[in-house]
Amino acid sequence: MEFTHVQPGEPGYEEESAGFNRIVAHRPALVAAVTSVVEVRAAVRYAAERGMPVAVQSTGHGPAAAVGEDTLLVSVRRLRGVHVDPVARTARIAAGTRWREVVDAAAPHGLAPLCGSSPLVGVVGYTLGGGLGPLARTYGYAADHVTAVELVTADGRLREVTAEREPELFRVLRGGGKSGFGVVTALTFRLVPVARLYGGGLRYAGPDAAAVLGAWRRLTETAPEELTTSLALLRLPPGPGVPEELGGRLTVHVRVALVGEGSSAGAAPGPGPGPVGALESLGERFVRPLREAATPFADTVRIRPYATVAEIFEDPVEPMPYHERGILLREFGADAEAALLTAAGPGAECRDWAVELRHLGGAAGRPAPVPDAVGSRAAAFALTTLYGPGTDSGVRAALGAWSTGGRYVNFLAGPGTESLAAEAYDAETYARLRAVKSAYDPDGVFRHGHALPPEGSGGTIPATPPNGPEPPQADTPPGSAAAPGGAASAGSGPPGADAASGTAAGPSGAPGPAGFAESGPGPRRRR
C-alpha cells in the first residue's frame, strides 16, 4: 500500500478513528493516515479498485452514521498549513488545518477569515457545508468566498476546481461539498479586512430567560447587517471543562459581533470620536437593551482583536458525545418566542444541552456573487439543538409552525442525520448536486456522512448501520412535510458542523504553497 496506514488492533488505530464528537465510534477496515496529496490519491485508488467505500475525517465535529468495517477512512489531521497572500487578501490552506491556525496567520496583516464559532473546527468541512460564522450577516457564508478547490475524485485524479475550470463542480462544492464528491486537499478563499470588532458574550441566570429572549428578539428586528447575534439556552452537564457556574443549570448566553469602519487595521484604536470609538459607541447602543433587560453574571462584550473571536461563543474544547439537529425559521416573533420559552425556558422539562437561535439575513440572505449551493438563504433564523444520547426534548417540533421546512447541513450531527441532508437544499440545487455526483462519483465511493446519492440510483446510498441508533423524531408538526431543500409540500398546511463527509484533506508533503507542513507522528507506512 502506497500510503501511511493503520489497521484494527494496531497502535494508533483508536486515536486515528476517533473524532471530537464521540456520539459515534468509527470502526473502519483501514485508516489511511495520509501525509501528502500523493498518499491521498493512492488511498482513494486502493479503495476504488477493491470496491471499498471511502470516508474522510479531519477533526470529527460533524459525523453522521459510524464508519463501519467495510470502509477505508482517510484521516487528514496531519495535513496542516496556511499560506496568506496579504496583497490578494487570500488564504490557501491544507485540509487538516483548523480555524485557529488561519486566524493567527491572517491577523498580522489586518485580515480575517470567515471562521466558525470554535477555533478547533476544521476549515474544509465547515466551509464545504456553507460556513455560518460570527460575521455572517455582514459578509455571508464562508463558502461564498472560496476561489479554488483542490480535489481528488473517485478515479484518483487531482483536480484544480475554479469558476473557470469545472464550473459545475465548483458551484456544488461550495455549500454542497459534504455531498461526497471526493477528497478536498486544499482550499483558497478570500479574507476580509477586519482587524478588530465590537463583540463578546453576555451570560445570564436561567430565571432571566424571558426578559433576555424578548430583548434579543426586539434587537434582531432593527439590527443592521453589520451586527450578527445569536442566543443560546444552555443546560450544560457538569464535568471537565464546564465552569461551575454553567454546569447543571439553565443559563442564557447572548453572542454579539459588530463590525464597521473602526474594524480595519488602519483605524487608530482608542476612545474618542475616531472610527474605533464610533464603533464602540454604536455597539454600546445596540447592547444596552440586553444589559438593561437583566444583569448578566458575565459580560465580555468590548472592542477586541479579531484574533480573540473564539471568545465570543466560548465553545467546548474537550471531546464529547452529542447529537445535533436543526431547522430553519422564516420568522421569530412574539408567538414563536412564547413557544420557545414553554419548550426550553425556566420550568420546562428540557434536557437539551443547548438550544440556539442564530439571526440570519443580511449578506447571508443574498445569493453569492458566484453562485454556490448554500441552501438557507431565505431563512431569518436558524434553530439548533445539541443533546446527549437519548435526551432529545422535542424543542424543534415546538417551533415547527415557523419552520421553512429546510435545514442547514452543518448543524446536523449524529446517527440519523444522513437522511436529513437532502432537506438542506432546494429542489433545483438538490437535482444539481445529484447530477454532479453522478458525473464524478457514479458508484458512490464517497457515501458516508451527509453524502447524497448519485442521480438515477434510486435516492439512497448504502450506509453503515448507525452506532447507537437514535429513535426518529419529527421536527415539524404532524400533517406537514418538507421536500428536498426545504419547500413545504403542497397541501401540507403551515410550512414547517466535517467528519466522514467524503470531502477533506490537504497537500502537506506534496508540492504546494510555502509553509505547508506535516503535523505529528504517523502510523507506519507499508508498501
Side-chain angles (χ1 to χ4, degrees), residues 104-467:
D104 289 346
H109 307 289
L111 300 171
L114 295 179
C115 59
S117 58
S118 169
L120 302 181
V121 169
V123 175
V124 169
Y126 168 89
T127 304
L128 295 178
L132 181 65
L135 303 184
R137 283 175 47 80
T138 309
Y139 292 105
Y141 289 84
D144 301 343
H145 297 259
V146 171
T147 59
V149 183
E150 188 178 276
L151 180 75
V152 174
T153 44
D155 56 5
R157 288 183 57 189
L158 177 64
R159 303 170 186 267
E160 185 74 17
V161 185
T162 67
E164 295 74 34
R165 301 175 62 182
E166 308 197 66
E168 276 296 290
L169 183 57
F170 183 66
R171 178 170 181 162
V172 299
L173 283 171
R174 296 170 302 124
K178 289 189 170 183
S179 301
F181 300 105
V183 183
V184 168
T185 54
L187 283 180
T188 303
F189 48 84
R190 292 185 297 272
L191 303 170
V192 297
V194 175
R196 65 183 67 84
L197 71 158
Y198 177 84
L202 299 153
R203 294 189 183 272
Y204 302 86
D208 295 325
V212 175
L213 181 59
W216 177 77
R217 177 183 61 80
R218 290 187 291 273
L219 173 62
T220 64
E221 293 175 347
T222 58
E225 291 187 8
E226 293 77 14
L227 178 64
T228 304
T229 62
S230 64
L231 179 146
L233 302 173
L234 303 176
R235 291 175 170 85
L236 302 179
V242 177
E244 182 179 352
E245 64 271 19
L246 302 181
R249 68 196 70 186
L250 171 63
T251 62
V252 185
H253 192 200
V254 179
R255 300 76 162 251
V256 175
L258 176 71
V259 293
E261 185 181 348
S263 296
S264 68
V276 178
L279 178 66
E280 183 175 28
S281 296
L282 181 61
E284 293 289 318
R285 179 164 65 84
F286 286 133
V287 171
R288 186 176 301 117
L290 297 171
R291 288 174 171 148
E292 292 177 347
T295 302
F297 64 80
D299 184 343
T300 65
V301 181
R302 57 180 174 82
I303 292 287
R304 60 171 62 247
Y306 190 85
T308 67
V309 67
E311 296 177 13
I312 296 177
F313 279 74
E314 296 182 306
D315 281 354
V317 297
E318 297 296 330
M320 61 178 66
Y322 60 90
H323 296 277
E324 185 172 12
R325 301 289 190 277
I327 60 174
L328 300 174
L329 306 181
R330 66 179 185 274
E331 61 183 350
F332 185 73
D335 47 357
E337 175 190 332
L340 181 61
L341 286 170
T342 299
E349 296 183 3
C350 178
R351 296 184 294 164
D352 293 355
W353 294 347
V355 176
E356 180 191 70
L357 279 167
R358 295 201 187 195
H359 186 205
L360 305 179
R366 293 191 292 271
V370 178
D372 58 25
V374 173
S376 48
R377 305 286 185 182
F381 294 86
L383 172 69
T384 310
T385 61
L386 275 73
Y387 52 95
T391 62
D392 188 356
S393 300
V395 174
R396 300 181 307 281
L399 275 291
W402 297 276
S403 173
T404 66
R407 301 179 190 271
Y408 172 52
V409 70
N410 277 2
F411 290 165
L412 298 174
T417 59
E418 59 273 18
S419 63
L420 303 177
E423 298 174 20
Y425 310 103
D426 60 56
E428 179 183 353
T429 301
Y430 181 73
R432 185 186 301 271
L433 289 167
R434 292 190 64 189
V436 176
K437 173 78 170 177
S438 282
Y440 290 91
D441 186 17
D443 298 323
V445 172
F446 298 99
R447 67 183 65 173
H448 284 284
H450 298 104
L452 297 180
E455 192 175 46
S457 66
T460 60
I461 288 181
T464 303
N467 180 286

